[in-house]
């Protein structure tokens, strides 16, 4: 049995086991507390590091560095995505005990979309290498937009999925804990919570279009791309509730993430021009950039952030 096959088996078993614990066993819980969110965030990060150690042992140092670099990229991009989720829940008025339910299904949907994007993207890049130029330019543009554009206001009525659903599904007028309420007169009546899920899933789709090209700048190995993505996604639910308690604490993090995206985009373009940036240097740039952004956010945080920390 090859090392890659062994790690595929380990990955499938580990993720399946953790899905049962993190999602199924917690389905009746309400809003996740700060302490619980912090604990689960640490657990998922440690599992990713342990899995990376397994890759190092079975597949070698290069693959392990690719996994860790990809994981850090996806994890950092996830932070920016979660702030968008917080805005979505605020706009729709989704209370804490229902946020976990939406995030559970949103995470599962994100994993499915990543699977599709990864295998299609890898096949296209191997067949049409000029796509690296397009993906690289897309990442640089996304970085510029993230750094210098203001926060986009969430407007559910303009979301195409919401428009489509409202066209065919009669709506209730308040948030409920169920997606569909009852079947009357041969019509399914949808709750606003279902619309929240549609907006979250459509946001996941947009995020996948940014994050997948970013990881392809590191490696085209489907195993590394998929595993690093899934480990980052699986920790999103706990990370969401952790960050929702610290909203505004990491004011400069988006600039660090934007810089990472720009670096990865330039790396992708240079790779096509014959200039190869070592994976170890890429990892160092990502770690240092995130560290500087976090430290700057903590040192320059506003007084009201300290009040949030005391009450979290």
């Amino acid at each position: 049995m090859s090392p890659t096959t062994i790690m595929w088996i380990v990955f499938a078993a580990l993720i399946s086991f953790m899905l049962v614990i993190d999602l199924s066993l917690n389905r009746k819980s309400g809003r996740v507390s700060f302490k619980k969110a912090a604990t689960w965030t640490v657990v998922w990060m440690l599992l990713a590091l342990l899995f990376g150690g397994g890759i190092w042992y079975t597949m070698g140092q290069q693959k392990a560095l690719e996994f860790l670099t990809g994981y850090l990229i996806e994890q950092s991009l996830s932070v920016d995505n979660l702030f968008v989720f917080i805005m979505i829940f605020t706009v729709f008025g989704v209370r804490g005990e229902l946020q976990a339910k939406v995030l559970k299904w949103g995470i599962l949907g994100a994993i499915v979309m990543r699977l599709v994007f990864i295998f299609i993207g890898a096949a296209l890049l191997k067949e049409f290498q000029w796509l690296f130029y397009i993906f690289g330019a897309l990442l640089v543009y996304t970085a510029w937009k993230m750094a210098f554009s203001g926060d986009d206001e969430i407007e559910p009525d303009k979301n195409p999925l919401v428009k489509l659903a409202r066209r065919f599904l009669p709506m209730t007028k308040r948030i409920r804990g169920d997606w569909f309420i009852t079947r009357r007169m041969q019509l399914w009546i949808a709750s606003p919570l279902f619309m929240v899920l549609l907006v979250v899933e459509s946001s996941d789709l947009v995020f996948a279009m940014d994050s997948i090209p970013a990881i392809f700048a590191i490696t085209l190995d489907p195993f590394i791309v998929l595993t690093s993505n899934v480990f980052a996604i699986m920790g999103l639910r706990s990370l969401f509730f952790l960050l929702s308690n610290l909203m505004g604490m990491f004011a400069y993090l988006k600039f660090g993430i934007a810089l990472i995206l720009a670096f990865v985009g330039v790396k992708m373009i240079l790779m096509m021009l014959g200039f190869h940036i070592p994976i170890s240097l890429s990892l160092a740039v990502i770690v240092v950039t995130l560290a500087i952004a976090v430290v700057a956010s903590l040192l320059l945080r506003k007084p009201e952030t300290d009040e949030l920390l005391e009450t979290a």
Side-chain angles (χ1 to χ4, degrees), residues 41-52 71:
T41 298
V42 172
V43 166
W44 277 111
M45 290 182 175
L46 288 177
L47 284 175
L49 291 176
L50 288 173
F51 188 78
Y71 173 75

Side-chain angles (χ1 to χ4, degrees), residues 121 124-125 128-136 268 272:
L124 288 175
L125 286 173
F128 308 104
Q129 293 192 357
W130 51 267
L131 287 173
F132 276 103
Y133 290 111
I134 296 178
F135 283 172
M268 186 174 282
M272 292 302 297

Side-chain angles (χ1 to χ4, degrees), residues 108-151:
L108 293 176
I111 292 176
V112 172
M113 283 187 282
R114 291 303 198 280
L115 281 169
V116 175
F117 274 48
I118 286 169
F119 287 104
I120 292 179
L124 288 175
L125 286 173
K126 287 182 178 179
E127 186 69 23
F128 308 104
Q129 293 192 357
W130 51 267
L131 287 173
F132 276 103
Y133 290 111
I134 296 178
F135 283 172
L138 176 63
L139 292 177
V140 173
Y141 170 75
T142 303
W144 178 86
K145 186 176 179 181
M146 181 184 296
F148 300 108
S149 297
D151 295 330

